[in-house]
Amino acid sequence: MTTGTSLHPAGGRARPATFGELRRIPDFDARAASRSVKDEIRGNLLRAIERGETLFPGVQGYEDTVIPQIVNALLSRHNFILLGLRGQAKSRILRGLINLLDTEIPVVAGCEINDDPLKPLCRACRERIASEGDNTPIAWMPRDLRYVEKLATPDVTIADIIGDVDPIRAARGGRDLSDELTIHYGLLPRANRGIFAINELPDLAGKIQVGLFNIMQEGDIQIKGYPLRLPLDVLLVFSANPEDYTARGKIITPLKDRIGSEIRTHYPTTLEEGVAITTQEAWTGRDSAYRVEVPDYLRELVEEIAFHARDDKRVDKRSGVSQRLPISVLESVVSSAEQRAARTGEKLTVARVADVYSALPSITGKLELEYEGELKGADTIARELIRTASGRIFSKRFSDVNFQPVIQWFELGGELKLAELAGTADRYKQLANIKDLMEHVDRLGADKKEQAHAAAAAEMILEGLWAHRRIGRSEERGFYADKPKPQPDSREGGPPRPPRRSYN
Ligand SMILES: [Zn+2]
């Protein structure tokens, strides 16, 4: 017997296990118990706002833009769509809606569409409650099971989304095909009393869009010509690429009309925001024998690559540059440093700008290139992006610094080749040899006496000088004086490139 005093008793107390027990909870409020999912979310949302809770944990940079709009949509009991490019946390936001549901709700035990014991939809439950009455068993459904998600593709069928007539059940039961007991429910009915998310909505066939609309509008649907009444209680949420969504003919007008709010997502607006997201998402804190430290300027460099790629006209604007690009790059940077550490046996390694070049495979596959970009090749574009980004990081910190002594060192014949696997001490010695160079590493947050950080920072400075074409550099990370060699095919603005094989 229950001793609970609310519909959602605190842990430890027995929960009602039958319809009768549920109704005998002392302050049982049938109306509150049977509120629609949209009212439930509304109520919980208002309470969360009053308490000042973080509404979408782990979603950063949307506090003043996307989230207030989602809140308005939910308070309005709207079905809504998120319009945005790849990697803008759309899926994460939609899944985050789970937190706005009650922790658990009572359902008729065994019901495929999670029927409310007080308002059963399916015939099986109605018949069961009619015959078993207060002894009808109740199950408690946790909220994470109330979120159903589907990626729309052209081959998704009505059967997948809405349902199908099950010939085996029909034969076994000897029932008429139009009897709803022969229906094999699709994903949407199974999301009854919960949230149904469809990603990339424009890829859904028109016929299924009509089906969705009918369910939303009238609560009924035809399956293989058989009419079926199914007044589902669902919050419908969608995501789409903005251009696909607005393209004429991709979404049937009555469905568009029923989507209460269109909310645009976006990429991080500032570098700091991007760094924060990437830091949160990337797998960098590894349980490893080798400790890798990633200096702040390198995190910014990784983020700048994504920012520049989003602006680069050779990169396809329609598909965008996902936040997963800097996330994967940062993970590769750490791995590259980890690999070096394992080879040299140094327990502490500081990631270097060379590690960003080792992360090229994490960049190239994530860039959808325009024709002009395709001609140059993803590899070249990625290298140019790193170079531009390095130049930006350098300018931000050193615009007022006179590097003439360093440049002169090279002009007087100095050359430096940083071997891929040189130990920290060796690299430091090489770099410290360059007049004045170590005097500037503090601007990158490095202490010139800490060799690993100082060497990485000094290398970053050289990379920046190269990015601004003040010194030369080979693909093998040899630095030398910038003596532009006129080449017949050299383009305006291209890096001076010695005729050597490129690597990595
Ligand atoms: Zn049922």
Side-chain angles (χ1 to χ4, degrees), residues 250-426:
K250 287 271 201 156
I251 308 284
I252 61 160
T253 310
L255 179 62
K256 227 177 204 172
D257 267 358
R258 294 290 295 181
I259 299 176
S261 297
E262 270 177 35
I263 297 161
R264 295 248 172 184
T265 57
H266 54 81
Y267 288 123
T269 46
T270 63
L271 198 67
E272 293 67 33
E273 231 168 65
V275 168
I277 295 172
T278 300
T279 300
Q280 170 186 283
E281 299 299 318
W283 181 54
T284 55
R286 303 178 182 182
D287 183 20
S288 164
Y290 302 98
R291 192 153 66 93
V292 175
E293 287 182 9
V294 184
D296 288 346
Y297 60 84
L298 216 57
R299 291 178 189 273
E300 285 178 37
L301 170 57
V302 167
E303 211 59 41
E304 281 280 6
I305 295 169
F307 271 70
H308 282 292
R310 286 169 192 147
D311 274 346
D312 195 309
K313 62 179 191 329
R314 298 166 302 183
V315 176
D316 180 13
K317 290 279 168 300
R318 206 202 68 86
S319 61
V321 176
S322 169
Q323 193 62 25
R324 284 182 277 272
L325 183 143
I327 293 167
S328 309
V329 172
L330 185 60
E331 289 171 344
S332 292
V333 164
V334 171
S335 297
S336 171
E338 203 177 11
Q339 180 174 175
R340 180 172 57 249
R343 289 187 183 195
T344 58
E346 292 179 349
K347 293 294 170 208
L348 168 72
T349 303
V350 175
R352 307 157 46 190
V353 62
D355 296 318
V356 180
Y357 285 93
S358 304
L360 275 179
S362 302
I363 303 176
T364 50
K366 293 192 180 56
L367 299 177
E368 297 283 342
L369 296 176
E370 298 282 7
Y371 181 65
E372 194 199 337
E374 293 284 4
L375 287 182
K376 282 198 139 184
D379 206 77
T380 305
I381 303 282
R383 285 176 190 278
E384 289 179 11
L385 287 170
I386 301 174
R387 180 176 186 166
T388 316
S390 301
R392 178 76 66 87
I393 298 298
F394 180 85
S395 305
K396 254 164 70 180
R397 270 125 164 146
F398 296 108
S399 56
D400 59 335
V401 175
N402 177 12
F403 278 106
Q404 213 42 50
V406 174
I407 294 162
Q408 238 167 33
W409 184 88
F410 286 105
E411 282 172 352
L412 293 173
E415 281 200 18
L416 172 86
K417 171 88 202 296
L418 293 172
E420 205 189 339
L421 288 178
T424 301
D426 286 346

Side-chain angles (χ1 to χ4, degrees), residues 159-175:
D160 297 329
I161 301 290
I162 316 267
D164 202 358
V165 174
D166 183 341
I168 296 170
R169 280 209 229 176
R172 198 194 293 138
R175 292 171 193 274

Side-chain angles (χ1 to χ4, degrees), residues 194-272:
I195 300 164
F196 188 48
I198 298 183
N199 291 315
E200 306 305 337
L201 178 64
D203 288 340
L204 206 61
K207 211 165 61 179
I208 306 173
Q209 293 184 28
V210 173
L212 271 182
F213 162 70
N214 285 338
I215 289 264
M216 289 158 84
Q217 177 70 25
E218 317 285 351
D220 61 26
I221 183 72
Q222 289 201 354
I223 299 175
K224 290 186 179 160
Y226 297 103
L228 176 69
R229 179 136 182 83
L230 213 55
L232 299 172
D233 172 24
V234 181
L235 167 66
L236 280 161
V237 291
F238 308 97
S239 75
N241 178 295
E243 280 190 36
D244 287 348
Y245 187 70
T246 49
R248 212 179 157 74
K250 287 271 201 156
I251 308 284
I252 61 160
T253 310
L255 179 62
K256 227 177 204 172
D257 267 358
R258 294 290 295 181
I259 299 176
S261 297
E262 270 177 35
I263 297 161
R264 295 248 172 184
T265 57
H266 54 81
Y267 288 123
T269 46
T270 63
L271 198 67
E272 293 67 33

